[in-house]
Amino acid sequence: PDDWVKHYFSNPLEETKPSGTGWKYDSIGSHVLGAIVERVTGKRFIDYLREKLFSKIGVSEEAYCLKAPGGHSWMDAGLLCRPTDLLRTIRFLLNGGKWNGEQILNEEYVKAATSKQIDNTLPGAIPCKCQGYGYQIWKGVQDSFYFLGMHTQIALGVPGKDFILIFNGDCFDKYNAQTQTIFDSFFDLI
């Protein structure tokens, strides 16, 4: 469609269910959340993130968002940054929203965001994607949480062990199998 946000709100083919009654990953929902932030703040999403978070935790100036059809920042898969930027973001979350002694994000919110808010077990889904889902954050085994980007981009934190995994790959052809292999190998090692 020419405008993803407009399509999201006007697509008559999508079935809807009452909130909290089921789970299905919805990339475009993440995109719409970014568009809402842009509408409310009057700023590009990346500029808002820089002001509120990124500049405080040292995310590089090279980080940027692609533009999606309709002109909004492409927030379901279009945030491009360095692996060290992902590392800083996961470290920030492992620190409960604190950076260099400053509480930037409410600790209770971070705890809720990285906790299982809804069951995401779906028939045929790979095990690493069936541990629950928080606020735009996947849950993993051993109380881990992670961001899973397009084609096996992974930023994962394990709170109890204070481990971080950053994986910047491109496994499009065998995406699910490769994602599970990466998770299995990492957790076998730690």
Side-chain angles (χ1 to χ4, degrees):
D2 292 339
D3 184 327
W4 288 356
V5 174
K6 182 178 178 183
H7 177 73
Y8 182 82
F9 289 108
S10 64
N11 185 359
L13 302 177
E14 292 294 320
E15 291 183 31
T16 60
K17 295 179 182 179
S19 179
T21 60
W23 187 89
K24 179 181 175 187
Y25 183 73
D26 181 10
S27 289
I28 198 71
S30 297
H31 175 70
V32 169
L33 285 175
I36 291 169
V37 169
E38 290 184 338
R39 178 86 180 256
V40 169
T41 65
K43 300 176 183 179
R44 292 181 317 144
F45 193 78
I46 192 75
D47 294 335
Y48 182 76
L49 282 177
R50 278 191 208 295
E51 176 187 319
K52 298 294 185 180
L53 177 64
F54 285 178
S55 63
K56 295 177 182 183
I57 68 172
V59 169
S60 67
E61 289 295 319
E62 287 82 16
Y64 68 98
C65 289
L66 299 173
K67 288 286 184 194
H72 292 284
S73 299
W74 185 357
M75 289 314 307
D76 62 319
L79 177 62
L80 295 124
C81 60
R82 295 177 174 186
T84 54
D85 298 333
L86 295 172
L87 177 75
R88 289 174 178 277
T89 303
I90 294 296
R91 170 54 55 209
F92 169 74
L93 293 172
L94 283 172
N95 290 343
K98 190 180 284 188
W99 194 264
N100 290 334
E102 178 186 358
Q103 191 71 48
I104 299 169
L105 193 57
N106 179 285
E107 186 173 8
E108 289 302 312
Y109 175 81
V110 172
K111 187 175 183 178
T114 58
S115 296
K116 180 179 177 178
Q117 296 298 324
I118 193 164
D119 181 54
N120 63 346
T121 305
L122 295 173
I126 57 175
C128 68
K129 289 184 170 182
C130 295
Q131 305 299 314
Y133 199 72
Y135 302 150
Q136 304 294 291
I137 300 173
W138 296 83
K139 284 298 296 174
V141 299
Q142 298 186 27
D143 195 35
S144 65
F145 60 85
Y146 61 95
F147 296 111
L148 183 58
M150 189 183 291
H151 305 165
T152 320
Q153 319 275 310
I154 301 167
L156 178 141
V158 187
K161 298 187 189 253
D162 198 31
F163 268 79
I164 295 173
L165 167 69
I166 305 299
F167 184 89
N168 191 14
D170 189 356
C171 302
F172 180 73
D173 291 338
K174 299 188 185 322
Y175 172 69
N176 282 330
Q178 294 301 325
T179 300
Q180 189 63 53
T181 298
I182 293 162
F183 276 75
D184 290 345
S185 299
F186 177 71
F187 284 103
D188 284 349
L189 287 172
I190 68 165

